[in-house]
Amino acid sequence: MAKDLFSSLDLNLLRTFLVVYQEQNTRKAAERLFVSQPAVSQALQKLRHHFNDDLFVKVHGGLQPTYFCEQLATKITPHLDGLMTAVNLSSEFDPKEIDFPIRIALSPVVMACLSGALYKNIKQQAPNCQLELTNWSTFSAEDIQRDHVLLGVGYQLPNASKELYVKKLVDITGRLFVRKGHPLSQSIVKPSELAGYDIASLISPGWNDNFSQASQVLSEHSVPHQVGFRSEILMAVIDVILNSDMYMPHSNLFPIQNYPSLRAIEVDVEDKHKFVSVYSHIHTKNRNNPLLIWLYEVIKDALIEQVNK
């Protein structure tokens, strides 16, 4: 049986071999490989022993390949070139090549504010992809871990799994929204001025299932209040405030320009209550995935664009 020359071969030596073959000079080969000339000579010595052939003989001005060397170089060059191409292509990414569904889970605070801009931005760069937006639910974190959802966008989750990689997208500023003609006619209010008006709270599953952040702020300021309505559906909350004197806590992410019957009110509170961050949530294994890095930037740009409106 012929000796198995491949299994016991250090493949790093083959790269050195091909560079020496191309340059036919150990000094020039060392420069290309960013190693010392003795290191190249040692590699050649190992290869000579492995193949039981001189491989190169010294001639005036450099090295001359042996017959075996010529045959070996001819046969392995296409394979190493293919390996090099495959390795280099693995780090390249072009969104135009996306031809598969991209499923993103958006929390209610983001869904109605981002869907259109996100669709436009993604389709401009990845025209062949199919965008699937789902509502963030209490199961979305598990869906990301199981690869059922590629990415989630929302507030930072308490007690998030270590399998989730969470990265901040943007800071948003809290605001209140009321119907036009609401008794609160001022553009800025203090917490005490909200006494007597009920809260219409938007639920973000997994974040504020059992509490209202606005209610917590008012409690800290000893302002009597109550939560009059709660829903995960933004349009339901909007419909309620359009037909009552309730107010909806939201943020400068809310597209007020799309709701001419509503008015925004700033709240004069401490910064710790005024600002909140929106995050992306992906599986930890995907933190260096070019697709996810691209999606993060597209979503971040869309959020910033919406906030600046």
Side-chain angles (χ1 to χ4, degrees), residues 186-214:
Q186 56 269 57
S187 59
I188 303 177
V189 298
K190 296 180 179 179
S192 59
E193 295 175 287
L194 297 173
Y197 300 104
D198 290 352
I199 301 169
S201 179
L202 182 63
I203 301 172
S204 290
W207 184 69
N208 69 337
D209 303 84
N210 303 311
F211 73 94
S212 162
Q213 188 178 31

Side-chain angles (χ1 to χ4, degrees), residues 72-212:
L72 181 63
T74 300
K75 291 177 180 178
I76 69 172
T77 295
H79 300 289
L80 286 186
D81 285 347
L83 181 61
M84 178 185 67
T85 300
V87 170
N88 288 335
L89 284 177
S90 67
S91 63
E92 294 179 0
F93 174 74
D94 184 354
K96 292 186 176 65
E97 296 180 359
I98 300 174
D99 57 359
F100 48 83
I102 293 177
R103 180 173 294 175
I104 302 173
L106 301 179
S107 71
V109 73
V110 175
M111 176 65 82
C113 312
L114 188 64
S115 301
L118 187 57
Y119 174 83
K120 180 187 70 175
N121 291 359
I122 287 180
K123 293 295 283 187
Q124 282 178 347
Q125 299 182 52
N128 298 318
C129 86
Q130 178 185 338
L131 181 61
E132 298 180 3
L133 299 182
T134 64
N135 285 308
W136 182 280
S137 71
T138 52
F139 302 105
S140 292
E142 294 180 15
D143 288 340
I144 293 172
Q145 292 168 231
R146 295 173 181 172
D147 292 329
H148 296 162
V149 170
L150 190 60
L151 181 147
V153 179
Y155 297 130
Q156 189 167 19
L157 302 176
N159 304 315
S161 167
K162 292 182 179 180
E163 290 185 35
L164 290 183
Y165 176 62
V166 182
K167 186 176 180 180
K168 186 168 75 172
L169 285 159
V170 68
D171 291 320
I172 57 178
T173 305
R175 285 179 181 170
L176 306 180
F177 294 88
V178 298
R179 62 176 176 84
K180 285 189 175 178
H182 191 281
L184 288 171
S185 58
Q186 56 269 57
S187 59
I188 303 177
V189 298
K190 296 180 179 179
S192 59
E193 295 175 287
L194 297 173
Y197 300 104
D198 290 352
I199 301 169
S201 179
L202 182 63
I203 301 172
S204 290
W207 184 69
N208 69 337
D209 303 84
N210 303 311
F211 73 94
S212 162

